[in-house]
Amino acid sequence: MAEVQALSPGRCLLLELPPEMRPHIHSYLDEITTFTLKKVVLQDKQRVFRLKDNTPTPAVQLICRTIRDETWSLLYPATRVSLTICDQGFRAIKSKYERDRHEAYKKLEKLANSTSISSARELVVRLQSTSTSGEVMGAELVRALIEVRGCIEAAGNLQQVKIVIPLCCRHTVVGRLCRAVVAM
């Protein structure tokens, strides 16, 4: 009968493999192969569209520093990017908290200069509009979509684009968004 070696609690067998072999093993993880970079489009005070990262950290990157560093190159630049454009990010500033939040937006990456979109192979754009959105918010969604179109045209590796427009928003907003998509 074979003897079973007791593992010490701090021992990781994966790290005992040669460093050249570990990236090949990481590349088979579902978390790596299905990784999608998630961004939300926001608007600052000057009406410039910016991207806020909304991507949850993959569990494999939480194991230890060595594995995090090894998997980093497999995750970034991401081949899949999901953009959410929601009219909630375009609302007027009412409270001091919201003014502070809009000041923090200045530090975010501009949508027009996005390196994550320009290097992606797949892009999903999700448009979200509240049921009370009127003409002004609809116009801002269309303006954001037109700026995304500029990013799509500049992207060299992009093979697939999917645009999701919910039918639950106002009829006039849906009509404007559909016309903007057709114009692409």
Side-chain angles (χ1 to χ4, degrees):
M1 193 169 195
E3 290 182 35
V4 177
Q5 292 181 351
L7 294 175
S8 62
R11 186 174 168 201
C12 177
L13 295 176
L14 183 62
L15 292 176
E16 293 179 10
L17 292 172
E20 304 83 32
M21 185 182 259
R22 291 193 299 255
H24 297 290
I25 294 170
H26 298 315
S27 67
Y28 286 100
L29 294 173
D30 282 342
E31 215 171 30
I32 301 291
T33 58
T34 62
F35 179 73
T36 301
L37 193 60
K38 296 179 181 171
K39 304 271 187 174
V40 177
V41 177
L42 303 170
Q43 194 176 37
D44 65 12
K45 283 174 135 180
Q46 288 75 32
R47 298 181 63 209
V48 174
F49 294 110
R50 298 188 179 268
L51 294 175
K52 179 182 178 193
D53 191 10
N54 206 16
T55 308
T57 303
V60 71
Q61 292 218 304
L62 301 174
I63 295 171
C64 70
R65 287 183 193 145
T66 305
I67 292 176
R68 182 192 65 211
D69 293 343
E70 289 174 355
T71 57
W72 184 262
S73 64
L74 297 171
L75 294 172
Y76 299 97
T79 58
R80 283 185 250 358
V81 177
S82 175
L83 281 183
T84 301
I85 304 173
C86 180
D87 60 4
Q88 293 290 342
F90 309 149
R91 298 239 179 250
I93 300 167
K94 296 177 184 172
S95 68
K96 182 185 181 317
Y97 167 75
E98 287 176 339
R99 281 192 294 274
D100 293 342
R101 187 182 68 202
H102 276 266
E103 286 299 315
Y105 288 174
K106 290 180 181 175
K107 298 179 181 121
L108 300 175
E109 177 185 30
K110 290 183 180 179
L111 174 60
N113 303 338
S114 173
T115 56
S116 54
I117 295 174
S118 64
S119 61
R121 283 196 330 239
E122 296 176 28
L123 176 65
V124 177
V125 181
R126 298 181 195 290
L127 299 163
Q128 296 177 351
S129 178
T130 61
S131 60
T132 58
S133 292
E135 288 297 314
V136 174
M137 289 300 142
E140 292 302 313
L141 282 171
V142 170
R143 204 168 74 77
L145 188 59
I146 289 170
E147 194 160 327
V148 168
R149 180 181 70 190
C151 296
I152 291 170
E153 290 170 353
N157 297 332
L158 206 54
Q159 296 171 358
Q160 181 179 2
V161 177
K162 181 178 178 182
I163 299 176
V164 181
I165 302 174
L167 295 176
C168 62
C169 54
R170 293 178 103 181
H171 177 69
T172 55
V173 174
V174 170
R176 292 179 80 177
L177 291 171
C178 288
R179 284 190 295 278
V181 170
V182 169
M184 294 174 111

